[in-house]
Amino acid sequence: MHMKKIFVLLLLSSITKGYPQFTKNIFSKDPIINLENFQKQKLHFGFYLGFNSYDFKIDYKTESPDILVNKTTGFNVGLVTDLRLHEYVNLRFEPGLYYTKRDLNYDESYFSTTNVPFTSSNRLREVNSTYINFPLLLKFSSLRTGNIRPFLLGGASATLNLSSNSKSKDDNLEQRFRVKSWTTNYELGFGIDLFSEYFIFSPSVRGVFGLNDELIRDKDPNSPWTGNIESMKTRAVFINFTFH
């Protein structure tokens, strides 16, 4: 939590340091128009930093207590390539590296019909994930008002999980939780472009919705960890701070 607060403070400091008129120029009633022709460029680039919160949407074969997913705050970093298609429409490619961690907590009932003992180590599965995300998005911008321009984002993405354990022959009996290497998603979000004197700062929020089941089942079809799961799909929220 302390690292998160430090990151936010450093980010805000980097935006405002050296620009005492930053807030006035952007939010004043009659601002000086910054980077007036920037949005007319056919192609431009940027980078982003941010946070993520990953979850799982789990569907079950039979009614049972939910597997509790404890989420943590992860970190994002990536690049932006922006192609102008129209005055209000841009095509964006935003490859990035995303790190996150989720803990799965199983109810005792999952072990009652198996030979696996219900212990603290068996009831908990830590899912550490390092993702490379490849989203292709359409950005729909509104009319620019002074130095502010809200926008919507939507598109699809393919994600490679570098920590999937998909090639491991061990399963949960050996403390190895496995998911598929590649998943596909659709993404929806919104944000705002803030035009400063030298760059554009774009905070945004985006939801990510996995389309395919990513769980790899254990060898035992009655496994307490995977036997009753019909599908397990990623759900995530990204908060990104983009600089152009």
Side-chain angles (χ1 to χ4, degrees):
M1 180 61 83
H2 291 300
M3 288 299 295
K4 182 178 177 181
K5 290 180 179 178
I6 292 171
F7 175 80
V8 172
L9 289 172
L10 289 174
L11 185 65
L12 293 174
S13 176
S14 67
I15 297 168
T16 57
K17 186 177 181 181
Y19 303 101
Q21 301 301 317
F22 180 83
T23 303
K24 180 181 177 181
N25 287 343
I26 289 180
F27 297 105
S28 63
K29 187 175 181 180
D30 188 22
I32 298 172
I33 302 301
N34 297 319
L35 301 176
E36 188 171 359
N37 296 316
F38 188 93
Q39 63 198 43
K40 297 179 182 179
Q41 295 182 76
K42 188 67 176 177
L43 183 69
H44 69 266
F45 303 93
F47 69 93
Y48 61 86
L49 304 169
F51 304 106
N52 65 65
S53 178
Y54 272 85
D55 197 353
F56 282 122
K57 179 182 182 296
I58 303 175
D59 293 323
Y60 303 92
K61 294 179 181 178
T62 61
E63 187 174 345
S64 59
D66 287 340
I67 300 169
L68 300 180
V69 183
N70 293 333
K71 299 169 286 185
T72 60
T73 301
F75 183 75
N76 319 328
V77 61
L79 302 174
V80 177
T81 301
D82 187 294
L83 176 66
R84 181 175 180 266
L85 302 178
H86 181 270
E87 184 177 358
Y88 303 108
V89 183
N90 295 60
L91 180 66
R92 297 169 73 105
F93 181 51
E94 299 186 359
L97 183 68
Y98 294 70
Y99 174 77
T100 191
K101 177 178 177 291
R102 287 159 285 187
D103 292 336
L104 304 181
N105 289 277
Y106 288 81
D107 186 80
E108 186 175 0
S109 60
Y110 283 82
F111 298 84
S112 60
T113 58
T114 70
N115 295 323
V116 181
F118 180 67
T119 63
S120 57
S121 60
N122 281 337
R123 71 173 298 180
L124 175 67
R125 284 295 176 265
E126 294 183 355
V127 185
N128 292 294
S129 301
T130 301
Y131 292 113
I132 301 179
N133 193 37
F134 301 95
L136 192 61
L137 307 167
L138 284 174
K139 175 185 177 184
F140 301 93
S141 301
S142 70
L143 281 170
R144 177 173 173 174
T145 303
N147 289 312
I148 301 173
R149 196 180 198 194
F151 61 84
L152 298 175
L153 284 170
S157 61
T159 303
L160 173 62
N161 187 350
L162 300 177
S163 309
S164 67
N165 295 320
S166 61
K167 295 182 180 180
S168 173
K169 294 182 180 179
D170 295 334
D171 61 17
N172 279 290
L173 279 176
E174 292 79 28
Q175 306 284 321
R176 189 78 66 182
F177 192 88
R178 301 176 299 171
V179 293
K180 297 173 184 176
S181 296
W182 285 96
T183 56
T184 54
N185 323 278
Y186 69 89
E187 304 190 11
L188 298 170
F190 62 91
I192 185 169
D193 289 331
L194 302 175
F195 294 78
S196 73
E197 187 176 357
Y198 298 106
F199 61 88
I200 300 174
F201 173 59
S202 304
S204 64
V205 178
R206 195 153 80 234
V208 179
F209 307 88
L211 295 173
N212 55 298
D213 176 26
E214 57 193 88
L215 179 67
I216 297 177
R217 272 73 184 174
D218 293 339
K219 293 185 281 288
D220 179 4
N222 297 315
S223 164
W225 298 282
T226 64
N228 194 40
I229 296 179
E230 182 70 34
S231 70
M232 177 180 283
K233 301 177 182 178
T234 284
R235 294 290 185 268
V237 175
F238 298 160
I239 299 176
N240 286 335
F241 304 97
T242 304
F243 298 84
H244 302 280

